[in-house]
Amino acid sequence: MRHLRIVPDNTHFSFIRFRRFSFPASAVLSILALVFFFTHGLNYGIDFKGGISMEVSATSGKADIVGARAKLEPLQLGEIQMQEFGSNGQMLIRIAQQPGGDAAQQVAAEKVKAALKGDYTFDSVQVIGPSVSQELVTVGTVGIFVAIACILVYLWFRFDWEFAVGAMIANVHDIALTIGFLSVTQIEFDLTSVAALLTILGYSLNDTVVIYDRIRELLRKFKKKPLPELLDESINATLSRSVITHVTVALALLALLLFGGQAIHSFTATMLFGVVLVGTYTSIFIASPILIYLGLRPGSRSEAEDKPE
């Protein structure tokens, strides 16, 4: 049986020559992303702004999100998120924080109970205050930077310092552009968005490591070949795998974006931009050619110095 080949085996496209355009373009876009972040900020969701979280169970049958929303919208409580979970008609309702302090939150909760009384039983009602929301922002930010630091340490031991620094710069580039995208589009930023950012880090790292592993293999094999040619050969050798993986992920994320509903909209939109558009571009046009500027040279290490697998 013949294997599927999206990209011919004899492809020899020169990607590295575009580094004179990709690096300045990425630098400008990263600066603009940070400017938008500090001037426009993010559209924080209930997880970070605070609000009311309710877990309810339908008294009979499955939870009716459309019907429940129709009953709650006349209450004019602001943003309301609903998500069905479990197999016993359970539903999560999240309501934006109400102006007026804790008393206003309690009043809003009682209005929801009155509107859904008879159709649902209330399993838990929680008020998420500003202090908890700020803690979530802090923990989420720290989690992203810890992940980047762990990636740096792993690649330093797994490969060499040039690869570790190159991957770290690529990951910071991905996060910066994705944050800029969220700031420009004002897509709601909640805990699922933090999960999307961490997933983007992992996905981009995986794609970069595949190319890096081929680069290291060719560094051992061709000690006289110019580094730009060696990098191009490594990218072309893994191009078919990259194209198939990215197209598959893009189709899955597009389906989730179109038909997944509001509950996962911010997650899928962030993933679609960060993984498919930014991550794919970064692995080829940033992470690989930056090794040239970091001083990596073919034959600079003898085979005896190569790290064991």
Side-chain angles (χ1 to χ4, degrees):
M1 180 181 295
R2 297 182 61 184
H3 296 288
L4 176 63
R5 293 291 181 186
I6 301 296
V7 179
D9 291 333
N10 60 348
T11 301
H12 297 291
F13 187 80
S14 179
F15 292 97
I16 300 302
R17 65 189 175 94
F18 289 102
R19 67 185 184 277
R20 294 177 178 84
F21 304 99
S22 63
F23 283 172
S26 293
V28 171
L29 289 175
S30 297
I31 293 173
L32 289 177
L34 293 177
V35 169
F36 269 103
F37 171 70
F38 287 110
T39 56
H40 293 269
L42 299 175
N43 179 24
Y44 291 106
I46 294 173
D47 293 326
F48 296 123
K49 291 190 299 186
I52 306 169
S53 177
M54 299 180 171
E55 291 185 9
V56 302
S57 298
T59 54
S60 62
K62 296 179 62 177
D64 181 9
I65 294 180
V66 176
R69 185 177 296 277
K71 293 182 178 181
L72 296 183
E73 284 183 348
L75 301 179
Q76 297 183 344
L77 299 176
E79 179 187 356
I80 300 176
Q81 297 178 357
M82 298 183 182
Q83 181 179 356
E84 188 177 359
F85 68 97
S87 57
N88 298 318
Q90 297 168 301
M91 182 169 60
L92 175 65
I93 302 175
R94 295 191 296 179
I95 303 171
Q97 189 174 36
Q98 306 296 305
D102 292 339
Q105 315 309 314
Q106 298 298 330
V107 171
E110 292 300 324
K111 289 181 178 180
V112 173
K113 289 181 179 180
L116 300 180
K117 184 178 180 181
D119 297 326
Y120 296 90
T121 59
F122 290 81
D123 303 322
S124 68
V125 178
Q126 295 179 332
V127 176
I128 304 174
S131 60
V132 176
S133 302
Q134 184 59 44
E135 182 180 348
L136 290 175
V137 174
T138 303
V139 171
T141 304
V142 170
I144 292 173
F145 282 104
V146 168
I148 294 176
C150 290
I151 289 170
L152 174 64
V153 173
Y154 166 75
L155 288 179
W156 200 307
F157 283 98
R158 184 68 176 83
F159 294 93
D160 288 298
W161 72 268
E162 295 97 338
F163 295 95
V165 174
M168 184 186 69
I169 292 173
N171 280 330
V172 172
H173 169 267
D174 290 346
I175 294 301
L177 290 189
T178 305
I179 291 294
F181 166 75
L182 292 171
S183 179
V184 171
T185 59
Q186 288 295 293
I187 293 175
E188 185 178 273
F189 186 83
D190 52 22
L191 288 179
T192 64
S193 301
V194 176
L197 290 176
L198 293 174
T199 306
I200 290 169
L201 282 178
Y203 187 92
S204 179
L205 174 65
N206 177 70
D207 201 38
T208 300
V209 166
V210 169
I211 300 176
Y212 276 2
D213 196 53
R214 182 55 63 91
I215 293 173
R216 184 177 62 168
E217 178 184 332
L218 295 182
L219 280 171
R220 295 170 175 172
K221 187 177 180 180
F222 303 107
K223 297 184 180 297
K224 302 296 184 181
K225 179 176 290 192
L227 187 59
E229 293 183 18
L230 190 144
L231 296 178
D232 274 330
E233 185 173 339
S234 301
I235 296 172
N236 281 285
T238 57
L239 192 58
S240 180
R241 173 259 179 204
S242 297
V243 171
I244 293 174
T245 303
H246 293 149
V247 170
T248 303
V249 173
L251 292 175
L253 289 174
L254 187 61
L256 289 174
L257 182 66
L258 296 176
F259 308 110
Q262 186 63 32
I264 60 172
H265 180 266
S266 60
F267 175 83
T268 52
T270 305
M271 282 282 291
L272 191 61
F273 177 83
V275 168
V276 179
L277 298 180
V278 175
T280 304
Y281 160 81
T282 301
S283 300
I284 296 175
F285 293 103
I286 301 296
S288 298
I290 203 171
L291 296 175
I292 298 174
Y293 300 104
L294 291 174
L296 185 67
R297 294 290 182 270
S300 60
R301 297 168 179 80
S302 66
E303 292 184 3
E305 292 176 319
D306 285 334
K307 295 185 178 180
E309 297 292 338

